[in-house]
Amino acid sequence: MNDLEENIKDGKVQDEILQPEWDPFRQVQDVEDFEFLRLAILEKLGLGASISETENKETTTSDRGGCARSRGYYVISDAEKATYLPKNKAVLDTSSLTGRLSSRTNRVNNRRFAAGMEMQKKVMADSDILKFNQLKGRKKQLRFAKSPIHDWGLYAEEHIDANDMVIEYVGEVIRQQVAEEREKTYGRCGIGSSYLFRVDDDIVIDATKKGSIARFINHCCSPNCTAKIITVDKHKKIVIYANRDIEPGEEITYDYKFPLEAEKIPCLCGSKACKLTLN
């Protein structure tokens, strides 16, 4: 065993081993090979970790040779970072544009939201028209009979799926002023129940004398259906939709949504959520 092997085995390395005359790396011409061989021998001598840590702290990127991708991980000092980070920060600083970018982003988002709403309305309208055409092709099996709620009522004779169109509320289309005069006339003639359904501020559908069996649908505070106004061929229609699945023999009901008035109309729906009055 020679002296070098004895020193390595005992963990002792004489200072003269690291002197230039003992440095085998002086024979290497390639800088990258020099670095790899130097690290390998230092690791063999047990000095690789401590020397590498020292070099990582003291050596900068400009002092290292070879390709950057061939170098190992090393810590960049704060002093070196300070030479270029402030410049990048100045280049990427957009604080002055925040207000303008935010306003532009809001406008873009608003346009997208409006476009999405229009698309959703179109899809829903197309779906309503499709269901309306299906209802015209095949009407639901319904019958009217005495109701425990009030006088006559409308009952399902078949299973009706939720969100399905049940029936159209059909009647004579009149203006609001005409509807007010007719309501007074019906009262003077002894017609206790009038079937006036408001479509909008100017249009009312009167099913008192000209209408379908949809006029027999009673009010309920917890209804199984809802009334909806749709547009078909530029004409507004009133249709009754099922809120949930309706089984045969079940009475069809919806919320009349009468406006609040001083003279109250008692509600006899008998549901757990009954508000006791229709208005």
Side-chain angles (χ1 to χ4, degrees):
M1 182 180 296
N2 54 35
D3 295 339
L4 179 59
E5 290 176 349
E6 290 180 358
N7 289 332
I8 293 174
K9 182 177 180 181
D10 297 337
K12 301 177 182 180
V13 181
Q14 301 297 330
D15 294 338
E16 58 267 23
I17 296 178
L18 300 179
Q19 296 301 323
E21 59 269 25
W22 293 96
D23 192 353
F25 305 106
R26 295 177 63 84
Q27 307 300 323
V28 180
Q29 301 298 326
D30 186 84
V31 178
E32 190 171 358
D33 291 343
F34 174 87
E35 183 69 17
F36 280 116
L37 291 173
R38 179 171 174 273
L39 292 175
I41 293 180
L42 289 175
E43 184 177 358
K44 183 70 174 177
L45 296 176
L47 301 176
S50 59
I51 294 178
S52 297
E53 291 176 0
T54 304
E55 289 181 348
N56 285 340
K57 294 179 181 179
E58 298 177 355
T59 308
T60 62
T61 306
S62 59
D63 297 330
R64 297 177 180 271
C67 178
R69 288 181 297 179
S70 65
R71 305 185 198 124
Y73 170 79
Y74 59 92
V75 180
I76 301 176
S77 64
D78 293 337
E80 184 180 354
K81 292 180 182 179
T83 59
Y84 58 83
L85 282 181
K87 297 180 182 179
N88 292 344
K89 183 177 180 181
V91 172
L92 299 176
D93 187 13
T94 57
S95 59
S96 61
L97 302 177
T98 301
R100 184 168 58 185
L101 292 176
S102 177
S103 177
R104 181 180 180 183
T105 302
N106 289 336
R107 290 198 301 270
V108 171
N109 291 336
N110 290 337
R111 285 196 295 268
R112 289 178 178 174
F113 178 76
M117 291 296 294
E118 290 297 326
M119 181 63 67
Q120 185 177 5
K121 289 180 181 179
K122 185 177 183 303
V123 171
M124 293 178 64
D126 292 342
S127 176
D128 289 336
I129 294 174
L130 177 60
K131 291 180 179 179
F132 185 80
N133 292 334
Q134 291 175 347
L135 182 66
K136 288 295 184 181
R138 181 192 176 279
K139 296 182 179 180
K140 296 291 188 299
Q141 297 297 316
L142 307 170
R143 67 178 177 88
F144 68 95
K146 283 294 183 176
S147 169
I149 298 177
H150 175 72
D151 203 6
W152 296 94
L154 191 65
Y155 294 83
E157 287 287 284
E158 63 174 303
H159 174 82
I160 301 174
D161 293 329
N163 300 319
D164 202 359
M165 193 176 291
V166 179
I167 191 173
E168 178 188 1
Y169 193 96
V170 180
E172 187 179 358
V173 181
I174 58 177
R175 296 179 59 187
Q176 175 62 32
Q177 294 178 348
V178 178
E180 293 176 357
E181 292 298 325
R182 285 193 180 184
E183 189 174 10
K184 296 177 183 179
T185 303
Y186 293 151
R188 289 194 297 266
C189 295
I191 301 176
S193 298
S194 60
Y195 303 93
L196 301 171
F197 200 120
R198 183 190 301 274
V199 177
D200 53 29
D201 293 336
D202 190 52
I203 299 176
V204 176
I205 293 181
D206 184 8
T208 306
K209 296 183 178 180
K210 298 180 180 179
S212 65
I213 58 176
R215 62 183 177 175
F216 296 121
I217 301 177
N218 282 317
H219 164 86
C220 183
C221 297
S222 300
N224 53 21
C225 292
T226 184
K228 182 178 180 181
I229 299 173
I230 65 174
T231 302
V232 180
D233 296 332
K234 299 182 180 180
H235 296 286
K236 293 183 177 180
K237 306 284 186 179
I238 301 174
V239 292
I240 309 301
Y241 278 83
N243 290 336
R244 55 173 175 80
D245 290 349
I246 301 175
E247 301 302 328
E250 189 174 353
E251 183 174 0
I252 306 296
T253 59
Y254 68 89
D255 190 347
Y256 285 0
K257 295 183 179 180
F258 282 171
L260 295 176
E261 296 178 357
E263 185 178 353
K264 299 298 181 180
I265 303 174
C267 176
L268 304 174
C269 69
S271 66
K272 294 181 179 180
C274 181
K275 295 177 288 188
L276 302 180
T277 61
L278 274 70
N279 57 353

